[in-house]
Amino acid sequence: MKLLTWNLNGYRAVQKKGLEQILSLIDAQIACFQETKAQPDQIEMDEYLYPYTYINSAVKKGYSGTMIASLEPAEKVVYGLGIEELDQEGRVITAYFKDFALVTVYTPNSQNALKRLDFRQQWDEAFAAYCKSIDRPVLICGDMNIARTPLDIWDEKDGIGAAGYSLEERNNFENYLMDDFVDLFRELYPEKRQYSWWNYKTRGRDRNEGWRIDYWLASKELLPKVRSVQILDDVFGSDHCPVLLDIDLDF
């Protein structure tokens, strides 16, 4: 089974750039999206490409939002974490399938001068606890707004003390998630330097000055089933690129 994750930075914007043609070429059985910036009635998906779509939009229009598109229906779908103050921005969807649960997440950014760090820390703890409570093997994907190590950022000096590379955020990621889940790209490629996000404002993609902040995590028991993880940095349309997981699972 192939599963895709992609922060679109605006579903409608990427749709105008050929989203469905790109998805058709990648040919994943499930596609997960973050930062859709759209309400359900603003999202159109070719039903022949993905007949089942699950959408979690932010209360604030044009902001945040997540989506899962699938060839087969989920057994159950849960929207959010079940915590009202954390569920206003449409940041999580969990789709349950026969042998696994799939969580897509758009983790809050701590913003300039870490002014939203307190909210981010509350989120990190609650999200990890939620994922650990799921009663079957778990795949977690999405924009997690964290570069784990110096290998995941083009210039460590660019990130010191900044949102997505602060010590607090990196410690939370390791302490809350890495005891129970595996970073699949880094597990397969312990020394590889490849990025999934580039700053539009500085034209970072032109020079490959990027960060790896888009992930596939998995419960440890799923690791033997993983065939490959690919950062598709030749796919354009967003300031992020897709990340494709190939794993020996079925609906």
Side-chain angles (χ1 to χ4, degrees):
M1 173 185 282
K2 291 193 290 186
L3 303 97
L4 184 77
T5 183
W6 194 3
N7 179 317
L8 298 174
N9 194 12
Y11 185 95
R12 290 165 291 174
V14 183
Q15 190 175 45
K16 292 175 183 177
K17 300 174 185 176
L19 173 62
E20 290 174 343
Q21 292 89 335
I22 294 169
L23 295 175
S24 180
L25 289 171
I26 294 173
D27 194 29
Q29 282 73 55
I30 302 176
C32 301
F33 306 110
Q34 304 86 42
E35 207 171 358
T36 55
K37 296 183 177 180
Q39 299 298 305
D41 62 357
Q42 297 174 312
I43 292 176
E44 298 178 0
M45 174 62 73
D46 185 343
E47 64 180 12
Y48 294 102
L49 187 61
Y50 290 112
Y52 303 96
T53 55
Y54 309 104
I55 299 166
N56 193 6
S57 300
V59 172
K60 178 182 176 181
K61 293 185 177 180
Y63 179 70
S64 190
T66 48
M67 174 178 170
I68 295 176
S70 177
L71 288 178
E72 298 292 336
E75 293 178 359
K76 180 176 74 169
V77 179
V78 177
Y79 299 93
L81 301 178
I83 302 172
E84 185 176 359
E85 60 267 32
L86 300 181
D87 286 339
Q88 301 303 300
E89 298 175 351
R91 293 185 177 273
V92 179
I93 305 174
T94 306
Y96 286 77
F97 296 97
K98 181 178 66 174
D99 295 325
F100 67 99
L102 172 62
V103 180
T104 192
V105 59
Y106 177 38
T107 301
N109 190 301
S110 294
Q111 299 183 354
N112 290 339
L114 302 179
K115 63 183 180 183
R116 212 183 187 199
L117 180 60
D118 287 347
F119 181 82
R120 168 66 183 262
Q121 291 184 303
Q122 181 185 3
W123 172 276
D124 286 344
E125 185 172 6
F127 177 72
Y130 170 79
C131 291
K132 293 174 186 179
S133 74
I134 294 172
D135 62 356
R136 65 188 70 184
V138 181
L139 290 173
I140 305 168
C141 72
D143 174 2
M144 306 196 76
N145 264 315
I146 188 75
R148 286 186 65 199
T149 73
L151 272 179
D152 300 312
I153 184 170
W154 74 277
D155 181 358
E156 191 173 14
K157 291 183 292 184
D158 183 56
I160 295 296
Y165 200 69
S166 71
L167 186 60
E168 295 92 337
E169 291 166 299
R170 286 184 287 141
N171 283 344
N172 284 351
F173 193 87
E174 301 303 320
N175 295 335
Y176 291 144
L177 286 170
M178 289 296 97
D179 281 347
D180 291 78
F181 302 101
V182 180
D183 173 359
L184 295 180
F185 178 84
R186 189 54 67 212
E187 185 73 19
L188 295 180
Y189 308 106
E191 301 298 329
K192 190 171 185 178
R193 185 180 288 276
Q194 194 173 6
Y195 310 122
S196 66
W197 171 81
W198 303 262
N199 191 320
Y200 268 152
K201 294 179 182 178
T202 63
R203 300 179 64 88
R205 197 161 190 173
D206 295 345
R207 299 178 298 280
N208 197 30
E209 295 175 353
W211 296 33
R212 185 177 74 97
I213 60 176
D214 300 270
Y215 290 80
W216 278 103
L217 308 182
S219 299
K220 293 178 180 179
E221 63 262 43
L222 292 178
L223 184 58
K225 297 179 179 293
V226 175
R227 297 169 179 160
S228 66
V229 180
Q230 296 174 270
I231 296 177
L232 304 179
D233 52 13
D234 58 347
V235 176
F236 291 78
S238 169
D239 55 346
H240 296 248
C241 73
V243 184
L244 183 66
L245 169 67
D246 190 354
I247 187 169
D248 187 18
L249 289 172
D250 202 352
F251 291 108

